[in-house]
Amino acid sequence: MICIIALVVFGILGIFSAKYRTVAKEAFDCVFKRITLRKCTTGLDKRMKSQITGKFMRKHPGLGKVLYKHFEAISWIFTIVLILSLGYSAYSIGNLFIYGNCNGPIPDAFCVFDPFVSGGHVESCSMEGITGEITGVLEVHDHDPAIGFPDAKVTIIEAGCFLCPYTKEAEPVVKQLISHYGDQIHFVYKDFPLSSTHPGAQEAAEASHCAHEQGKYWEYHDLLFVDQNGADFDHLLNLAQQLDLDIEQFSECLESRKYKSKVDGDFTEAFSIGVYGTPTFFINDQIIVGPKTFNEFRQIIDSELFWSV
Amino acid sequence: MGLNVEKIREDFPVMKREIHGKPIIYFDNACMTMRPVQVIEKINEYYNEYPACGERSSHKLGKRVDEGVDQARESLKKFIGARHTKEVIFTKNTTEGINLVANTIDLNKGDVVLGTDREHNSNLLPWQKLASLAGTKHEIVDPNPDDTFSIENFEKKMSRDVKLVSIIHTSNVDGTTIPIKEVIKIAHDHKALVLVDAAQSIPHHDVNVRKLDADFLAFSGHKMLGPSGTGVLYGKEHLLKKMPPFMVGGGTVEDTTHTNATFDEPPDKFEAGLQNYAGIIGLGEAARYLMRIGKDNIQKHEIALNRRVTDGVGDLVDIIGPNEPEKRSGIFSFNYKKVDSHEISMMLDEMENICTRAGAHCVHSWFNAHNINGSCRASFYFYNTPEECDKFVDTLKKVIDVVK
């Protein structure tokens, strides 16, 4: 059994250094003979046993003795663990290729094959006492603020809150994605104002749509993230003034709460499928909660672009 | 003990090395010995000061090479007690020396080459090959019931057909030494020549080819402090003169035409191509070093070490060969029950850096005949110490405790 472990270990080491290749070949020969129901004649198993036992004997004679007596059984255990590990690794690599992360549709753990992404460390603004599983995907409507090519292979929908610091944290990456992919993606922003934890979020969302009707949604969107300390009427009006919007029209829009139903509709739709915090991103049917790195988004988007017909 | 081992060890740089914080205990001297700084410096001297061609270049560097080689040949002549330097042929090892004889000696179909039951592959395969190519026969002298060499059986085997006795002097399996002088006398009485495989004897015993009246004698440099890839074949001058060259080429001829060649006298006609000058010069220094130490001192020291080990652990293992260490030279070859010898050897190495050899020691024929898978062999030399032997005994006991 030790030959199987040796084959894997020295096979990998042999890629990098010629000195391990002879042992890897011996291990392969041994494994091949065992598979074909012949006796391993290389002596590699005995050499490994002696060397490993000898190393333990140097400092822990008792442990060395146990190891020598039960070497075959211990080898079996390690071989089974190795096979399970290899199987799980293959599954993770498959996930990495298909979903862009090791952990399948919902990335909720660290991925050793891509250690530079933030993995499952989920940080988001959440609704108090509500966590759960997102069971669906948001739909894009005609009046939703959007950038990019509407028929692009990849649609990214962000459910965000203008007063949520994590939504703000995700903004630079969002801009980088839009710049990097251009018309390859269709980016859509939907409101999920967390008013219970961020008072004024609802009003900020409504104000953004008031700016939208004057053709300056994305500029107003960006200004809202600059100062997240509240969103009272004067503050929202002040932002509109900075963009040279028609203040009278903007004030009337805001005071009449013209877009309350639109914002409420976005919230209700998102809440109904289980969205619980911001920012939440839907990349086609894949979901990311919380701000992530560009690389993490890139893996999923590239994968979607590759697989989309 | 007559040797100042501590002082001697200062000559061997490798003895100062440690691996995993522990010194190296080198007990694989039957395979290869370590080299003293004097030999290493001689080799370096060639490469640093006169790395040129010998024999053929008349410039100063070339002459210096010739001086070094001549000096080495002279030292080797004294080392084995030859009459003349013409009788000392440099080879790359014992194997090449024996092959040289096997390929050039005048043997015909039906002629018998006689050996023991424990010949090294290097003194077995050349004769098996000759038998298949030339129709000669290779026969074996049966040992005594106690597995020692039988001079009676040897004498019985001697017939008119035996033209050559090619025989191991000291066995690398069990360390036993045959009565070579008696063997040679009997062989000569039957008009047979004798080739002595002295690979394991010459580094440890006093071997004088004239006193023995040996016709040929082959040995390696690497088993007697010399560089790897060096060796010597001794041959009586009149025999060498009659033998054709083995390999031919540069350095073996006086003159050539497009159709013919006039070969040099021995030893040149047997030393084809550019030689291993650095190695030869280093081998000469090794011979001088051993002559300064004295073979008697070496032999006494090795037997004392062997006795210490035999007393320490001899009762726990199955010794290959006689129980008396005096009969086993510096070799302690053993097995423990049915445990693979490689396992024991590797554990000794891993635990205390004790270097031993495991396996059939290139004498598969003997092990196969005895249905043994090999042995673990500790072989001592004059630079080994009693303390190293004690460590070996102590560690081997621990290994036995694990594998029993």
Side-chain angles (χ1 to χ4, degrees), chain A residues 32-85:
Chain A
F32 184 72
K33 281 184 174 164
R34 285 288 182 94
I35 289 170
T36 52
L37 304 177
R38 289 179 291 166
K39 194 179 175 188
C40 172
T41 53
T42 64
L44 179 66
D45 49 348
K46 286 180 178 172
R47 293 209 305 276
M48 300 281 291
K49 179 181 176 181
S50 310
Q51 282 189 310
I52 294 169
T53 306
K55 284 184 197 299
F56 276 92
M57 286 287 290
R58 210 185 295 155
K59 289 187 177 173
H60 307 287
L63 194 58
K65 199 170 177 178
V66 171
L67 191 61
Y68 186 87
K69 296 287 179 201
H70 306 288
F71 193 79
E72 191 63 16
I74 293 168
S75 298
W76 266 102
I77 292 168
F78 273 95
T79 304
I80 291 166
V81 169
L82 178 74
I83 291 168
L84 291 176
S85 299

Side-chain angles (χ1 to χ4, degrees), chain B residues 47-287:
Chain B
Y47 286 115
N48 286 326
E49 297 180 20
Y50 49 95
C53 284
E55 297 175 275
R56 58 210 82 187
S57 301
S58 56
H59 50 70
K60 292 184 184 66
L61 295 189
K63 284 179 182 172
R64 182 69 188 83
V65 177
D66 289 341
E67 284 171 20
V69 172
D70 290 345
Q71 198 179 13
R73 210 183 296 273
E74 185 66 31
S75 297
L76 268 302
K77 186 199 86 173
K78 282 184 191 165
F79 186 68
I80 60 174
R83 281 187 181 80
H84 200 280
T85 52
K86 289 179 182 175
E87 297 173 323
V88 176
I89 300 162
F90 288 119
T91 61
K92 67 171 184 277
N93 45 41
T94 310
T95 307
E96 186 180 278
I98 295 171
N99 272 275
L100 190 156
V101 176
N103 282 275
T104 55
I105 196 166
D106 184 23
L107 291 175
N108 300 303
K109 189 174 180 181
D111 289 345
V112 172
V113 178
L114 198 57
T116 68
D117 65 333
R118 62 201 67 192
E119 297 299 335
H120 191 283
N121 286 334
S122 295
N123 195 26
L124 177 66
L125 300 184
W127 308 115
Q128 289 182 347
K129 184 184 170 195
L130 191 68
S132 71
L133 293 177
T136 58
K137 292 178 186 172
H138 183 244
E139 294 186 359
I140 301 297
V141 178
D142 291 329
N144 286 318
D146 66 356
D147 207 42
T148 56
F149 177 76
S150 168
I151 195 77
E152 292 78 19
N153 289 347
F154 173 73
E155 195 158 12
K156 280 180 201 164
K157 272 279 183 184
M158 289 305 299
S159 64
R160 280 187 181 181
D161 292 335
V162 177
K163 295 291 190 291
L164 178 72
V165 175
S166 184
I167 200 160
I168 194 163
H169 188 189
T170 298
S171 165
N172 65 324
V173 174
D174 58 14
T176 53
T177 300
I178 65 166
I180 191 67
K181 191 167 185 176
E182 207 174 336
V183 165
I184 292 171
K185 185 172 184 317
I186 293 168
H188 286 172
D189 288 346
H190 290 80
K191 312 291 185 200
L193 297 174
V194 180
L195 163 57
V196 181
D197 173 357
Q200 288 297 338
S201 59
I202 216 152
H204 310 277
H205 314 245
D206 189 23
V207 177
N208 185 302
V209 291
R210 266 188 299 176
K211 287 181 186 169
L212 294 177
D213 197 21
D215 300 298
F216 300 100
L217 182 133
F219 58 95
S220 296
H222 64 268
K223 296 185 195 297
M224 50 165 279
L225 313 180
S228 305
T230 61
V232 166
L233 173 69
Y234 159 82
K236 284 179 179 170
E237 188 180 355
H238 70 95
L239 294 173
L240 293 176
K241 277 187 174 179
K242 282 194 290 185
M243 289 158 63
F246 173 36
M247 293 173 68
V248 291
T252 61
V253 288
E254 287 177 10
D255 199 11
T256 60
T257 66
H258 283 153
T259 56
N260 213 340
T262 309
F263 286 98
D264 274 328
E265 289 291 302
D268 292 347
K269 75 171 177 181
F270 295 107
E271 294 176 354
L274 194 106
Q275 296 296 291
N276 176 8
Y277 300 121
I280 289 168
I281 290 164
L283 178 60
E285 184 59 35

